[in-house]
Amino acid sequence: DAGVIQSPRHEVTEMGQEVTLRCKPISGHNSLFWYRQTMMRGLELLIYFNNNVPIDDSGMPEDRFSAKMPNASFSTLKIQPSEPRDSAVYFCASTGTGVAGELFFGEGSRLTVL
Amino acid sequence: SQQGEEDPQALSIQEGENATMNCSYKTSINNLQWYRQNSGRGLVHLILIRSNEREKHSGRLRVTLDTSKKSSSLLITASRAADTASYFCAGSGYSTLTFGKGTMLLVSP
């Protein structure tokens, strides 16, 4: 199994630009999570999907952030417009054992907004 | 609310020594999980302990859970340089996992 696949691994962009992060969960997993990791705030849950439906987006910081899951094998996290404070590592994780089960994480997308 | 807070924030030991990390949480949980994160990588699941369990072993890992104190500990025995990483606990009530900020473990050869 290839595991959770995220792209890009690194993204450097300028303030105001649109950023799109992508995730392919493990085949057969029906729950997908987007987390953000910073030194100051640790690992924060942004949003999670169950069977492609967004269940809880209360962690999305503001309207500049949006996430979609058009099918069971693909999800995107979009930031528009990006700001320097969005600089962080964004992780996607999936699980097939319920939202409280073992999570399988991708390697993350490190975003730097200048 | 924060479901996992690790202690200490950083731990430095020699190879062969045991490493103990602690985790406290605030509300009732169904299970508590420990994850490891190597520098620049994603988190990797280590072990899950359910609320009705008190202790669990997996290889060199030993996890305890004290629901009355809302605390858990992770013991790594006979540590190796390859154990150098950050370790996170995550508690789950009836919803998603909430992670602490982790303990950075440095194991020196």
Side-chain angles (χ1 to χ4, degrees):
Chain A
D1 198 326
V4 175
I5 299 173
Q6 292 187 245
S7 66
R9 290 294 313 278
H10 301 275
E11 174 95 5
V12 180
T13 190
E14 294 189 345
M15 184 174 62
Q17 296 297 306
E18 178 180 294
V19 174
T20 299
L21 307 179
R22 298 172 176 80
C23 175
K24 176 178 168 56
I26 292 174
S27 177
H29 284 187
N30 61 348
S31 296
L32 182 141
F33 306 77
W34 282 100
Y35 282 89
R36 179 173 68 177
Q37 187 178 39
T38 61
M39 289 293 293
M40 287 294 294
R41 300 173 69 92
L43 205 62
E44 303 172 279
L45 177 64
L46 300 178
I47 185 171
Y48 81 93
F49 296 83
N50 199 41
N51 294 322
N52 313 339
V53 176
I55 303 299
D56 183 0
D57 65 354
S58 59
M60 296 285 261
E62 45 198 276
D63 292 345
R64 298 185 297 106
F65 286 68
S66 62
K68 294 182 179 180
M69 192 165 186
N71 56 63
S73 59
F74 184 65
S75 178
T76 59
L77 178 67
K78 187 174 292 187
I79 308 172
Q80 166 64 16
S82 58
E83 297 182 2
R85 59 187 167 133
D86 302 331
S87 297
V89 182
Y90 291 82
F91 287 101
C92 176
S94 70
T95 183
T97 56
V99 295
E102 173 186 349
L103 294 184
F104 293 80
F105 281 79
E107 297 285 36
S109 293
R110 179 175 293 276
L111 173 65
T112 302
V113 183
L114 303 174
Chain B
S1 62
Q2 192 83 7
Q3 277 288 40
E5 292 191 15
E6 297 85 352
D7 171 66
Q9 290 187 342
L11 181 60
S12 183
I13 60 174
Q14 299 289 316
E15 248 185 344
E17 294 180 339
N18 295 341
T20 300
M21 288 159 270
N22 302 298
C23 169
S24 60
Y25 57 92
K26 295 181 179 177
T27 61
S28 297
I29 57 168
N30 264 349
N31 69 61
L32 189 132
Q33 302 179 36
W34 285 90
Y35 288 77
R36 183 187 73 213
Q37 184 180 31
N38 290 84
S39 181
R41 307 294 297 274
L43 280 74
V44 175
H45 182 265
L46 293 176
I47 195 165
L48 180 154
I49 186 165
R50 301 191 190 285
S51 60
N52 61 355
E53 297 176 308
R54 291 296 169 258
E55 187 171 312
K56 200 164 184 179
H57 296 254
S58 177
R60 293 184 297 112
L61 305 180
R62 172 179 167 249
V63 170
T64 62
L65 180 65
D66 187 334
T67 53
S68 66
K69 295 181 179 178
K70 292 186 168 59
S71 68
S72 173
S73 68
L74 171 67
L75 168 67
I76 304 174
T77 60
S79 64
R80 306 165 181 168
D83 295 328
T84 294
S86 291
Y87 292 82
F88 297 84
C89 68
S92 176
Y94 296 93
S95 185
T96 55
L97 292 177
T98 303
F99 289 84
K101 291 189 176 180
T103 292
M104 290 183 61
L105 173 64
L106 173 63
V107 182
S108 301

